[in-house]
């Protein structure tokens, strides 16, 4: 063996290149070149075994390949004939669990889109973290019963497609104290705002959050998270009726470091209430898109935005009415323009609203003078 291959950094660099030859695919009938090569490297010598195995199992989208370490399951995982997976197979024994954990600790990224194999790992104790070094998790199945096995203390990013009421009992923030990015895209019909709020309030180190509309308790907690930079409140049109803010009981701290605030489909009254009762001294980007924005609400929105301590930082504003042709009174164009003049660092302004803005030369000159950075 060449002397250079005894240097761990050199070996890792070579293996990383091999791993990038082709994106991972987990259809074992046709393994891509990179995975076959890594598997061959792992069996070449002891020096290559650990780094090759780490790369081989770092990115997974199913439990099935990992279960290949259990000899008893080989006929089901690597069938020689067309054969369906049987749910009647016994869960892993104590020895098999030990074998499984030897390899599951190598997984860094996991995408879960099926729970077909979960019954095999139900023999693990409730508090066992089956993937202790997991960094990124994508969970796109309805039920969260086995989510606890994937909540590692090293988890940095978590994507959850559907929220069920039992999500809160997993206490994601407590189990994953290093969690920085949390995406909750859709709320299930049986989920309610308190369950979502409890999950959000367990997270103490978030940097990026995307989720459905929140209640007052969740907003209050987020205002105390100094690491939070990017917030996106997103509501699917088919999500059903969601609990709204208690607009008579709002008390937030300053969102000290939030630079991006985005609302998509959230109740406009909630949006205005949050901004009116908050301060965003670092805000650079504000977006309100795919909304039903009544003309009467445009001015209150802009007025709230101009009073949330963002006049000297806000660079990008995008406001889009989902139905700007609706037949109702529009906002006063003069007042709309006046409310926007305070944003001295404005670089991009996009308004698609039920309001006809026709500035004269004087108004246009005043606007351009107020926005020296406008692009």
């Amino acid at each position: 063996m060449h002397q250079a291959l005894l240097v761990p950094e050199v070996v890792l660099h070579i293996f990383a290149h091999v791993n990038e030859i082709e994106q991972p695919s987990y259809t074992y009938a046709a393994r891509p070149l990179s995975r076959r090569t890594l598997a061959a490297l792992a069996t070449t010598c002891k020096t290559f075994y650990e780094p090759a195995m780490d790369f081989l199992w770092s990115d997974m989208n199913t439990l099935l390949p990992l279960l290949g370490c259990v000899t008893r399951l080989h006929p089901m995982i690597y069938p020689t004939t067309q054969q369906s997976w049987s749910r009647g197979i016994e869960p892993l024994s104590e020895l098999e669990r030990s074998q499984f954990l030897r390899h599951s600790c190598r997984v860094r990224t996991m995408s879960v889109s099926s729970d077909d194999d979960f019954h095999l790992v139900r023999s693990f104790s409730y508090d066992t973290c089956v993937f202790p070094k997991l960094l990124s998790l994508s969970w796109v199945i309805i039920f969260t019963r086995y989510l606890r096995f994937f909540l590692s203390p090293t988890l940095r990013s978590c994507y959850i497609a559907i929220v069920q009421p039992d999500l809160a009992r997993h206490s994601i923030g407590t189990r994953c104290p290093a969690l920085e990015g949390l995406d909750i895209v859709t709320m299930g019909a049986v989920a309610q705002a308190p369950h979502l709020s409890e999950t959000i309030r367990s997270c103490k180190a978030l940097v990026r959050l995307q989720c459905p509309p929140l209640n007052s308790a969740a907003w209050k907690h987020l205002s105390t998270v100094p690491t939070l930079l990017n917030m996106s409140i997103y509501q699917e049109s088919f999500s059903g009726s969601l609990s709204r803010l208690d607009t008579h009981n709002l008390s937030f701290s300053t969102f000290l470091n939030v630079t991006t605030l985005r609302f998509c489909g959230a109740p406009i009254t909630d949006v205005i209430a949050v901004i009116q009762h908050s301060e965003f001294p670092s805000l650079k980007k504000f977006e309100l898109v795919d909304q039903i924005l009544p003309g009467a609400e445009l001015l209150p929105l802009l007025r709230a935005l101009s009073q949330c301590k963002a006049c000297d930082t806000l660079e990008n504003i995008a406001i889009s009415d989902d139905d700007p042709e609706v037949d109702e009174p529009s906002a006063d164009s003069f007042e709309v323009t006046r409310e926007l003049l305070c944003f001295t660092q404005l670089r991009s302004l996009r308004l698609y609203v039920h309001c006809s803005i026709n500035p004269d030369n004087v108004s246009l000159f005043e606007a351009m003078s107020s926005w020296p950075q406008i692009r």
Side-chain angles (χ1 to χ4, degrees), residues 171-214:
S171 189
I172 291 179
T174 303
R175 289 174 174 262
C176 312
L179 188 66
E180 297 177 349
L182 178 59
D183 293 83
I184 300 175
V185 176
T186 306
M187 283 192 82
V190 298
Q192 298 296 328
H195 303 107
L196 176 63
S197 174
E198 191 173 340
T199 297
I200 299 298
R201 286 185 286 126
S202 71
C203 301
K204 313 293 185 184
L206 287 176
V207 174
R208 176 184 52 78
L209 172 66
Q210 175 174 291
C211 67
L214 300 166

Side-chain angles (χ1 to χ4, degrees), residues 73-290:
L73 302 179
H74 282 186
M76 298 298 174
I77 300 173
Y78 312 112
T80 55
T81 59
Q82 196 71 21
Q83 187 175 353
S84 61
W85 183 263
S86 172
R87 282 189 168 273
I89 298 177
E90 289 295 318
L92 301 184
S93 66
E94 183 176 354
L95 177 60
E96 291 169 342
R97 291 197 299 271
S98 178
Q99 293 173 336
F100 182 84
L101 289 174
R102 283 182 55 215
H103 297 289
S104 65
C105 67
R106 304 180 191 275
V107 180
R108 298 294 183 270
T109 302
M110 173 70 81
S111 178
V112 181
S113 57
S114 170
D115 60 357
D116 289 345
D117 311 321
F118 282 171
H119 64 289
L120 293 171
V121 297
R122 70 171 184 263
S123 56
F124 282 104
S125 62
Y126 184 85
D127 292 325
T128 301
C129 180
V130 179
F131 300 90
K133 296 183 180 179
L134 194 64
L135 298 176
S136 177
L137 172 65
S138 176
W139 187 273
V140 291
I141 59 176
I142 295 177
F143 301 107
T144 58
R145 177 182 176 186
Y146 294 103
L147 179 63
R148 64 185 186 274
F149 291 146
F150 298 82
L151 299 180
S152 79
T154 61
L155 195 67
R156 294 289 190 277
S157 177
C158 183
Y159 174 97
I160 300 177
I162 299 177
V163 180
Q164 296 295 325
D166 65 343
L167 179 67
R169 68 185 175 89
H170 294 295
S171 189
I172 291 179
T174 303
R175 289 174 174 262
C176 312
L179 188 66
E180 297 177 349
L182 178 59
D183 293 83
I184 300 175
V185 176
T186 306
M187 283 192 82
V190 298
Q192 298 296 328
H195 303 107
L196 176 63
S197 174
E198 191 173 340
T199 297
I200 299 298
R201 286 185 286 126
S202 71
C203 301
K204 313 293 185 184
L206 287 176
V207 174
R208 176 184 52 78
L209 172 66
Q210 175 174 291
C211 67
L214 300 166
N215 63 15
S216 304
W219 275 107
K220 184 174 182 178
H221 165 72
L222 290 172
S223 71
T224 66
V225 179
T227 55
L228 189 61
L229 300 179
N230 189 316
M231 286 188 64
S232 180
I233 305 301
Y234 180 84
Q235 177 175 326
E236 292 277 8
S237 59
F238 53 79
S239 294
S241 178
L242 298 172
S243 299
R244 298 190 176 190
L245 288 174
D246 178 4
T247 55
H248 301 292
N249 185 29
L250 298 179
S251 177
F252 305 143
S253 300
T254 299
F255 289 83
L256 196 59
N257 295 309
V258 171
T259 59
T260 301
L261 185 60
R262 186 174 190 270
F263 295 93
C264 180
I268 187 61
T269 53
D270 288 9
V271 175
I272 295 174
V274 166
I275 298 175
Q276 281 179 334
H277 293 82
S278 308
E279 293 181 355
F280 297 88
S282 301
L283 191 63
K284 291 186 176 183
K285 184 175 183 179
F286 175 81
E287 290 187 3
L288 186 134
V289 296
D290 296 334

